[in-house]
Amino acid sequence: AFATGKPFIAVNHLEAHALTIGLTDDLTPPYMLLLASGGHTQTVLVETLGCYHRIGTTIDDAVGEAFDKTAKLLNIGFPGGPAVERHSRDGDPFRFSFPTPLKGRAEPHFSFSGLKTAVRRQAQKLAPLNIKDVSDLCASFEYAVCDVIRDRVIKAYEVAKNRRGHTRLPLVAAGGVARNQRLRQTLKKISHDLGSGLFIPPPDLCSDNGAMVAWAGAQRYINGYHDNLDFSARSRWPLDEKSTAVYGFGRNGPKV
């Protein structure tokens, strides 16, 4: 950017996830986003480019982290999401009744630490594990995860809809965990019950990828946003309204 005189655009990778559906489905905000990945689990009301209201978040482990730790516990490989999903296909999701943390609570947050611990304790009781045990543990874990997400997403959707004046919103999912087929079916059922449309990028564009970052950068560019060359990278960059002040706004780009 310095050598060519071209604009420098800082991209929050969470915003890239939030905007990917515009690339794949030509969907524009507003919509409610479920962002589910190895490092994040949150629901976000996407109002417009650069304007995001976080509704719920995890109070401990991210859902993708819970998948990874379960896979490591069962010694079935990494990354954990695909490994657990692969083994769960041959498993009985009702063999083990795992907890569904925060289910039914008024606040729309997530928790997965207790679920992960319950899987570990059950695995220890069964040790040494056979192939059927592993498959059933994976299937029961995956079922519990989807049960939690179903409850939490419905609660968050109510909050988002009320904020928008009771207007129905499309439901969007992104992040690596959105590749999971059982979760996709769960979200499809949720969207049907809510009377909202469901939009999820193709699996290859759910996980972190360059296309989503380029798309987000392009959206910022065509809307007049760019950053100074002294912009510092941040390992934690919250995607909510409190973060927008340090994300190009009031610097070289227009204010929202």
Side-chain angles (χ1 to χ4, degrees):
F2 176 78
T4 63
K6 295 184 182 298
F8 172 72
I9 301 171
V11 173
N12 181 339
H13 108 277
L14 298 185
E15 182 176 54
H17 278 305
L19 299 177
T20 299
I21 205 65
L23 171 64
T24 61
D25 292 71
D26 198 29
L27 181 69
T28 57
Y31 48 80
M32 197 193 84
L33 169 72
L34 168 66
L35 178 55
S37 68
H40 304 275
T41 306
Q42 53 189 250
T43 46
V44 179
L45 173 57
V46 180
E47 292 273 17
T48 186
L49 175 69
C51 187
Y52 313 101
H53 305 292
R54 189 172 63 183
I55 300 170
T57 188
T58 179
I59 64 174
D60 42 55
D61 293 346
V63 62
E65 183 181 357
F67 270 97
D68 288 340
K69 290 181 176 178
T70 295
K72 182 178 181 179
L73 167 70
L74 300 177
N75 196 29
I76 57 176
F78 187 86
V84 170
E85 182 175 14
R86 185 170 60 252
H87 284 80
S88 72
R89 291 173 188 148
D90 298 321
D92 178 3
F94 305 110
R95 178 178 171 186
F96 307 107
S97 181
F98 288 134
T100 50
L102 301 187
K103 183 177 178 180
R105 294 282 290 270
E107 68 278 8
H109 297 312
F110 299 87
S111 173
F112 295 100
S113 179
L115 172 58
K116 174 197 64 182
T117 300
V119 174
R120 184 183 73 245
R121 288 175 176 169
Q122 185 63 64
Q124 290 172 341
K125 289 180 182 179
L126 295 171
L129 301 174
N130 58 40
I131 294 176
K132 183 68 165 61
D133 292 333
V134 171
S135 295
D136 291 348
L137 284 166
C138 286
S140 298
F141 165 79
E142 193 179 63
Y143 181 86
V145 165
C146 290
D147 198 21
V148 169
I149 290 179
R150 178 189 300 109
D151 180 78
R152 304 287 76 203
V153 166
I154 291 173
K155 178 60 68 175
Y157 189 88
E158 293 173 358
V159 174
K161 190 172 70 169
N162 290 340
R163 182 157 189 157
R164 292 287 303 177
H166 301 282
T167 302
R168 292 188 186 279
L169 295 163
L171 177 60
V172 175
V177 179
R179 298 170 60 110
N180 183 278
Q181 290 302 311
R182 186 186 294 274
L183 177 58
R184 284 176 173 246
Q185 290 301 314
T186 297
L187 294 172
K188 185 177 181 180
K189 177 64 165 58
I190 291 172
S191 68
H192 178 270
D193 293 344
L194 294 173
S196 68
L198 174 65
F199 299 86
I200 310 177
D204 288 347
L205 291 181
C206 285
S207 302
D208 292 352
N209 61 87
M212 73 177 194
V213 175
W215 175 257
Q219 298 310 298
R220 299 191 68 77
Y221 173 74
I222 64 177
N223 281 278
Y225 296 105
H226 60 275
D227 295 275
N228 295 330
L229 291 174
D230 62 353
F231 190 96
S232 297
R234 300 174 59 191
S235 59
R236 291 289 179 181
W237 201 347
L239 184 62
D240 58 27
E241 56 193 333
K242 295 178 182 177
S243 68
T244 55
V246 295
Y247 194 20
F249 302 156
R251 302 178 68 173
N252 298 317
K255 294 182 179 179
V256 172

